Amino acid sequence: MNDYAGQHEVISENMASQIIVDLARYVQELKQERKSNFHDGRKAQQHIETCWKQLESSKRRFERDCKEADRAQQYFEKMDADINVTKADVEKARQQAQIRHQMAEDSKADYSSILQKFNHEQHEYYHTHIPNIFQKIQEMEERRIVRIGESMKTYAEVDRQVIPIIGKCLDGIVKAAESIDQKNDSQLVIEAYKSGFEPPGDIEFEDYTQPMKRTVSDNSLSNSRGEGKPDLKFGGKSKGKLWPFIKKNKSPKQQKEPLSHRFNEFMTSKPKIHCFRSLKRGLSLKLGATPEDFSNLPPEQRRKKLQQKVDELSKEIQKEMDQRDAITKMKDVYLKNPQMGDPASLDHKLAEVSQNIEKLRLETQKFEAWLAEVEGRLPARSEQARRQSGLYDSQNPPTVNNCAQDRESSPDGSYTEEQSQESEVKVLATDFDDEFDDEEPLPAIGTCKALYTFEGQNEGTISVVEGETLYVIEEDKGDGWTRIRRNEDEEGYVPTSYVEVCLDKNAKDS
């Protein structure tokens, strides 16, 4: 699968170097060329509009001068026909009519010239300029299409180069899938998790004809009762080791069922599958303490707890540093004024404060490493954080050793597993298997409807689809997460803002 993914990375890299870079540069060139062509088109359009405006202006001027010349001619004829008008006034009117006629002729010539020019420009616009611009745009688009075709061919060549390797990768995947040996895998799991449980021997006949003389088989499970070893009684801790199928009794006086009934119930009942997060949380509760790194909490809660712890340690460090500065200043005062006190008396206190500061800094580094791991800044916990977290692990072995002692104290040899045979982790696992199998799911306190789709990728979260209705089993505790359940086997946390919660009235009252 890694080789198969690697070939796709090769395809991506070759496309980026041989296609994408050139296409990006070519697209920029096309944008500039297209912008230039559109600029030429707008320029030609503005020029033809200017010519049209000049033509309209000369046409209106020619029309106005013609009307003025016509009125001047009529006025002259009127003055010439009137016998009461002097000759000088008639001559003035005649000259005015001639001037108007001359202006009309000039406007006519100007209008004719501008009209011919406009017709020429219009012909050039519609038959030369605009066709040329559209031709350039067409050629640009044709070049673009050809370039895209070349890019497609290049991609095909890039892909064809890795097809043989991809074929080999697929053949390897098929070969690996066909080589799966389910029997061997099952045997490996059995070898890794086998408990070493041995069935008890036959129960011997007890003769009640002899007064109060009862013999018990050395191989009987009940032989430890009379030997003063309460640790091996059915109600004791060793029950989980000798009887892996027996569930935890709710009451110490409850009747114990035969092993055959328990075995039949185990084989016919549907197993409960609990999420790994609840398993870790239950294990930490069984150990009697919350993990130092808050690994039993959801991601956001854990981040807030770690951040709060780092802030508290930083405040303590600052307080200790202030105290150290105060002691240092007091020591300087004592050195300058010996009559006020002995400077050597402060050395012990100063060393103690410095030691406290160093311890707090180590603690801060440990929690900062865990915080960085939660926030995704580090791929795994640092070696220093792992070494320091070992302090917590060292607090728990007494419980493990007690379990080992219980196994060693069995005198009948019915449990033959030695202390050195299994690791302490396996002892812990077998110690609590029956208790986790009997874990009861939390009751639903209401329902919720998903407002948005949420992809639960972190440990302890669950994916939901918009519009989906689910059960609420734990309210938001102020950290922004609500615990929900889809069915008996699927539960987890989702952001509170992604769901609309509707709690039952009885749950609210309680």
Side-chain angles (χ1 to χ4, degrees):
M1 293 296 292
N2 289 334
D3 295 339
Y4 184 73
Q7 295 308 310
H8 285 284
E9 291 180 0
V10 171
I11 294 175
S12 176
E13 292 173 358
N14 291 336
M15 287 181 63
S17 60
Q18 301 180 20
I19 300 176
I20 297 177
V21 175
D22 294 338
L23 278 184
R25 183 171 57 251
Y26 185 66
V27 166
Q28 294 298 327
E29 295 175 357
L30 287 181
K31 286 182 179 180
Q32 294 296 330
E33 185 176 354
R34 183 174 181 272
K35 183 178 179 180
S36 176
N37 291 330
F38 274 80
H39 177 72
D40 294 341
R42 286 192 296 269
K43 186 176 180 181
Q45 187 174 359
Q46 291 174 359
H47 178 69
I48 196 66
E49 289 176 355
T50 302
C51 292
W52 171 255
K53 290 178 181 179
Q54 290 179 355
L55 177 62
E56 287 292 319
S57 177
S58 62
K59 181 180 178 181
R60 287 194 299 270
R61 185 169 59 252
F62 173 54
E63 182 182 6
R64 185 179 65 251
D65 290 344
C66 288
K67 291 180 180 179
E68 291 291 336
D70 189 37
R71 283 197 296 269
Q73 182 64 29
Q74 292 178 2
Y75 180 73
F76 166 69
E77 292 176 354
K78 181 179 178 183
M79 294 290 288
D80 189 35
D82 191 356
I83 59 173
N84 296 324
V85 178
T86 62
K87 188 177 181 180
D89 292 337
V90 173
E91 184 64 24
K92 184 178 180 182
R94 186 180 64 78
Q95 292 178 357
Q96 189 68 25
Q98 290 179 351
I99 292 173
R100 293 296 179 182
H101 278 290
Q102 185 61 38
M103 291 176 62
E105 290 295 332
D106 294 341
S107 298
K108 180 180 179 180
D110 188 27
Y111 171 65
S112 177
S113 175
I114 293 177
L115 179 61
Q116 292 178 2
K117 181 180 179 182
F118 174 77
N119 289 333
H120 176 71
E121 293 292 341
Q122 182 176 253
H123 185 273
E124 290 291 326
Y125 177 78
Y126 284 106
H127 294 84
T128 304
H129 297 310
I130 293 300
N132 288 339
I133 292 173
F134 278 110
Q135 183 65 30
K136 291 179 181 179
I137 294 176
Q138 179 179 341
E139 292 174 356
M140 178 189 70
E141 291 296 326
E142 291 173 354
R143 292 198 308 272
R144 180 186 63 83
I145 294 172
V146 172
R147 190 61 176 271
I148 290 178
E150 294 175 354
S151 300
M152 292 293 183
K153 290 172 59 178
T154 304
Y155 164 72
E157 292 297 329
V158 169
D159 209 347
R160 184 178 289 112
Q161 291 175 0
V162 299
I163 284 178
I165 304 178
I166 290 179
K168 293 181 180 179
C169 294
L170 295 176
D171 293 340
I173 293 174
V174 172
K175 184 178 179 181
E178 292 175 348
S179 64
I180 292 175
D181 186 359
Q182 65 274 15
K183 297 295 184 181
N184 186 36
D185 293 345
S186 300
Q187 191 62 32
L188 291 176
V189 173
I190 293 171
E191 290 296 329
Y193 294 101
K194 64 181 179 180
S195 65
F197 171 79
E198 291 185 1
D202 296 336
I203 299 177
E204 295 182 358
F205 176 77
E206 298 183 8
D207 189 2
Y208 285 94
T209 57
Q210 298 179 7
M212 299 305 294
K213 184 178 181 181
R214 300 178 184 179
T215 59
V216 182
S217 170
D218 291 339
N219 292 329
S220 174
L221 288 173
S222 59
N223 65 341
S224 60
R225 296 183 181 181
E227 298 181 9
K229 298 185 182 297
D231 291 342
L232 297 179
K233 295 201 297 185
F234 279 93
K237 244 183 180 182
S238 61
K239 175 194 69 174
K241 302 164 191 170
L242 296 177
W243 299 100
F245 305 116
I246 294 181
K247 294 185 177 180
K248 184 178 180 182
N249 291 330
K250 302 299 180 182
S251 171
K253 298 181 181 180
Q254 185 176 352
Q255 185 82 17
K256 297 180 178 61
E257 296 181 10
L259 175 62
S260 60
H261 293 180
R262 294 294 184 179
F263 184 77
N264 293 335
E265 182 181 355
F266 174 82
M267 296 301 293
T268 57
S269 62
K270 181 179 179 182
K272 295 181 180 179
I273 302 175
H274 298 281
C275 62
F276 184 65
R277 176 185 51 74
S278 64
L279 185 64
K280 288 169 59 182
R281 180 177 300 175
L283 181 60
S284 63
L285 293 177
K286 295 298 178 183
L287 294 176
T290 302
E292 190 179 8
D293 59 351
F294 304 107
S295 59
N296 62 317
L297 298 178
E300 185 62 24
Q301 291 184 11
R302 184 186 180 195
R303 186 190 67 80
K304 289 183 179 180
K305 287 286 187 182
L306 291 174
Q307 185 64 51
Q308 181 181 357
K309 189 69 176 178
V310 171
D311 295 339
E312 292 176 358
L313 291 174
S314 300
K315 291 180 181 179
E316 293 181 9
I317 291 175
Q318 185 61 40
K319 188 184 299 183
E320 294 290 337
M321 292 179 67
D322 295 340
Q323 184 177 358
R324 184 183 63 182
D325 295 340
I327 295 175
T328 303
K329 290 180 181 180
M330 186 179 297
K331 183 177 180 180
D332 293 338
V333 172
Y334 286 175
L335 289 174
K336 294 178 182 179
N337 302 300
Q339 66 274 11
M340 296 182 66
D342 184 13
S345 62
L346 300 176
D347 292 340
H348 177 70
K349 184 65 176 177
L350 192 60
E352 182 180 352
V353 172
S354 300
Q355 187 177 4
N356 292 339
I357 292 175
E358 186 63 26
K359 291 181 179 179
L360 290 173
R361 283 177 176 171
L362 291 176
E363 284 289 318
T364 304
Q365 292 176 2
K366 177 175 64 176
F367 281 96
E368 285 178 347
W370 286 333
L371 181 60
E373 177 186 351
V374 172
E375 294 177 347
R377 295 199 299 265
L378 294 176
R381 292 167 55 185
S382 63
E383 289 296 326
Q384 183 177 2
R386 280 199 289 266
R387 288 197 301 270
Q388 293 173 352
S389 64
L391 295 176
Y392 166 73
D393 299 333
S394 64
Q395 296 173 1
N396 298 317
T399 305
V400 179
N401 293 334
N402 290 337
C403 298
Q405 292 171 5
D406 291 340
R407 287 198 299 272
E408 290 177 348
S409 61
S410 178
D412 58 358
S414 61
Y415 194 91
T416 58
E417 180 184 8
E418 298 179 357
Q419 182 177 3
S420 61
Q421 182 178 358
E422 298 289 341
S423 65
E424 293 179 353
V425 178
K426 289 187 179 179
V427 174
L428 275 176
T430 56
D431 217 2
F432 299 115
D433 278 346
D434 59 314
E435 297 179 14
F436 284 127
D437 287 342
D438 198 38
E439 183 180 0
E440 294 294 334
L442 294 175
I445 61 175
T447 59
C448 67
K449 182 180 180 182
L451 302 176
Y452 315 100
T453 298
F454 173 70
E455 297 292 340
Q457 299 178 351
N458 295 328
E459 180 184 330
T461 60
I462 184 173
S463 300
V464 296
V465 181
E466 180 180 355
E468 185 178 3
T469 302
L470 307 103
Y471 296 101
V472 178
I473 59 177
E474 186 177 322
E475 286 188 86
D476 186 356
K477 303 299 183 182
D479 58 355
W481 292 84
T482 299
R483 190 177 178 185
I484 64 174
R485 177 187 296 133
R486 178 177 285 110
N487 50 46
E488 190 181 56
D489 300 334
E490 291 185 80
E491 65 178 48
Y493 288 86
V494 296
T496 305
S497 58
Y498 277 62
V499 295
E500 181 181 3
V501 179
C502 180
L503 298 179
D504 295 340
K505 185 177 185 304
N506 295 334
K508 292 181 180 178
D509 294 341
S510 62

